[in-house]
Amino acid sequence: MNLFRRVCIPLLRQVPKIATPRVVALSLLTSHLILFPKKVNASTVPNPEGSNNGFNKYEKFSDQIYEQIHETHDIVIVVDPDRFVEHFLDELLQVVDQVVKVQRVRSKRPLKVLTLNEPITEKLVRDFEQKYKITIEQDTIMLLKNKYIQRIYNFNANDYFENRILLINYFKKINKLTQKKLNEFEQILSYLPSTETAVLVYADKSSPQYKNVQTRFCIMQQNDNYQKNEKLHWILIDKAVAEKLGVENIQNGQLFFLQKSSKLNNFQSSITINNKKLLITPAGTLGGKSVDNVMEDLTSAYNDVNVFSNRSFGKSFTKYSIVLELDLNKIPKHEETRLVKAFGELKKHLKETNPELLQKTEFVYLNKTPKDNHLGYQVYIRDDQKYGDRLRQHQETDINVMQKLSVFNEFGQAHSYIYRLDEQIQVSKDSLISFFMAVKNGHASEYFQTQEQPKYKKYSLKLVGKTFQKEVMESKKDFAIFQYSKNCHACGEYGQYYENLALESYKQENPTMIFGRMNNDHNKPSCIQDFPYTPVFMVCKKGIQHIPYVYRNQKFTPELLKSFFSVTNAINLIPEDQFQKLQADRALFTQNQ
């Protein structure tokens, strides 16, 4: 932690886009108290009254104000703005400004922004937590209160860096399904794509549990795996509407799926709305269960009705994944229908003959161009359990031990734990059953995807497990690392951009960063975090090599990659003597306040 406190981030605006969120969060919330002595008081916070939105200015938090407004307002409490460097606070307030724009459209409730900027003492935090029944963690940025959730919600730095849209989603309006809204709801269902799923929950307004159901449904929408389409989540509060949807004996807190009938469904339609056949399926209840357990119920209900699994509701443990990968631009529609039907028949067969195996099997549909294939589609099975065991094994052992444990085959090649159905075999219910049983019983051969040799030249230093400690951990310079896999298509695509950066560094007379590459299939150094995926781009900073900065972004461009390396290379560490002096100055400054 002391090393974190010595990290100075001069280009903080760019770092959240590209560095490890937890690393940035910790360094942000521990370093600026020392590195930036300028105090940011509530009076210096920009006043939003002058903004285009014209919402209320920030006020100092007090119990009296909170009691007056918490029933009628949505609330954002900025926790101790004195902790934040000025430009980060400005950026944070811009996000709040976006929340206000969305909230003003989705809800008539006004938004109030308060600042909890008293000197944050241990007693103040303890009293606040006890009174409002919340835990203020070290990296808490804001506390939130919307109309649905009856308690204050913790919003921390990790949430901010990983998923900023979560803050906006928190104030998302929940659609209430009544007789008056039924026409709008029917129109939405008429245009519902076959791949989308509407989710309903019944909440009896006369029940004392109504607010609890509403709260839990809102919390469920904050789940990262939950679908974010606001038009597809409804609270059903009218039994007459339930009857029109063909639902009888409805219970408070009961969940339902609504989907368009298609070849992707195993069951037939149960209702017809606007001449569209729809399938409505009970999916458990919200009552008496954690959000994680509710997600498991949703996943189980969805997978029972549909041929292919839906990852949007969370993923429980699987042993096998059976995958249909096809290019819809290369095969006719009737061929896709035939393939999906065969998968559906396999699933029904497993349900009747081996339900325990079915519970551990995930059916996956991928619309992408298969490699090493001329049919336009391919079928393969992945042994997820053995693959996971291999990764855990690699975390704890070196290359020599792995070879003794037979993690590699007799040719020194890493196991793929992927089994592909021969192209010469016609896909049908019987062929899929035979293929699945062959994999299960250990009679199928593993498949290794072939790949053309990279056409670009290598300028980075090759790293292996035996040399990693000396080359990287004991380096006197920052070390950029590209972890790749031979069977990874993205690695071959992005590797050339990395090597271009390595070439630029190679041309410098005295480069400040060394570029290296490491095959992730065959090398798992114990001195840094292991990654069960590729590609991975990271920087091991001199002095804190064991805590690398990792490129994390949903988008990839050569410019973003270059920016990642330049920003992390620009981060400087404060010398130990200066760090100790700053600590003393900070203690003296705090004492005089």
Side-chain angles (χ1 to χ4, degrees), residues 164-361:
R164 300 186 194 194
I165 198 68
L166 178 65
L167 180 58
I168 295 175
N169 283 337
Y170 181 81
F171 295 103
K172 182 164 61 179
K173 184 178 179 181
I174 296 180
N175 303 293
K176 289 187 172 67
L177 181 54
T178 61
Q179 288 279 10
K180 195 178 290 186
K181 288 268 192 178
L182 185 56
N183 287 337
E184 177 189 345
F185 182 66
E186 290 180 346
Q187 286 296 323
I188 290 172
L189 294 181
S190 296
Y191 294 100
L192 184 70
S194 60
T195 54
E196 293 287 350
T197 304
V199 181
L200 287 78
V201 64
Y202 176 66
D204 182 0
K205 290 201 76 170
S206 63
S207 168
Q209 293 297 316
Y210 171 71
K211 282 192 173 181
N212 184 46
V213 171
Q214 188 174 245
T215 295
R216 290 172 63 77
F217 192 62
C218 181
I219 292 175
M220 197 169 73
Q221 291 188 90
Q222 310 306 319
N223 189 289
D224 288 341
N225 291 321
Y226 197 61
Q227 292 178 332
K228 297 297 191 296
N229 189 333
E230 67 198 57
K231 293 293 186 184
L232 296 181
H233 305 109
W234 296 75
I235 291 183
L236 175 62
I237 59 178
D238 193 330
K239 279 195 173 182
V241 176
E243 292 174 0
K244 288 187 177 181
L245 295 176
V247 179
E248 299 177 356
N249 302 320
I250 196 167
Q251 299 177 4
N252 195 38
Q254 192 170 5
L255 290 158
F256 297 90
F257 285 138
L258 256 175
Q259 298 171 276
K260 185 172 291 184
S261 293
S262 74
K263 61 180 178 295
L264 300 175
N265 305 138
N266 267 332
F267 296 164
Q268 294 184 354
S269 61
S270 54
I271 57 174
T272 301
I273 294 181
N274 287 355
N275 297 320
K276 301 291 183 181
K277 293 183 177 180
L278 297 168
L279 181 68
I280 184 165
T281 311
T285 63
L286 281 172
K289 297 178 181 177
S290 68
V291 172
D292 288 341
N293 288 336
V294 172
M295 292 297 173
E296 287 182 8
D297 288 347
L298 289 173
T299 302
S300 177
Y302 183 95
N303 291 343
D304 190 43
V305 173
N306 294 276
V307 176
F308 297 99
S309 309
N310 188 330
R311 299 171 182 269
S312 299
F313 300 106
K315 181 184 175 184
S316 54
F317 167 76
T318 58
K319 179 173 174 58
Y320 298 106
S321 289
I322 177 165
V323 183
L324 172 60
E325 185 178 300
L326 71 172
D327 187 342
L328 294 178
N329 295 320
K330 291 185 177 180
I331 65 172
K333 197 70 177 177
H334 66 85
E335 184 72 350
E336 180 201 12
T337 301
R338 183 184 70 80
L339 294 169
V340 171
K341 182 180 178 181
F343 267 67
E345 290 174 341
L346 169 64
K347 193 167 186 178
K348 286 181 181 179
H349 172 79
L350 291 176
K351 186 176 182 179
E352 295 169 357
T353 62
N354 200 335
E356 292 184 0
L357 178 60
L358 178 60
Q359 286 183 352
K360 298 178 181 179
T361 302

Side-chain angles (χ1 to χ4, degrees), residues 371-373 378-380 418-423 435 447:
K371 300 295 182 183
D372 305 333
N373 182 284
Q378 65 177 356
V379 176
Y380 61 88
I418 294 176
Y419 309 85
R420 190 170 75 165
L421 181 66
D422 194 306
E423 291 182 34
F435 176 48
Y447 161 68

Side-chain angles (χ1 to χ4, degrees), residues 376-394:
Y377 69 86
Q378 65 177 356
V379 176
Y380 61 88
I381 295 175
R382 183 177 63 244
D383 190 325
D384 293 328
Q385 184 176 14
K386 287 184 179 179
Y387 183 72
D389 290 342
R390 177 174 75 92
L391 294 176
R392 285 186 289 274
Q393 213 168 34
H394 282 200

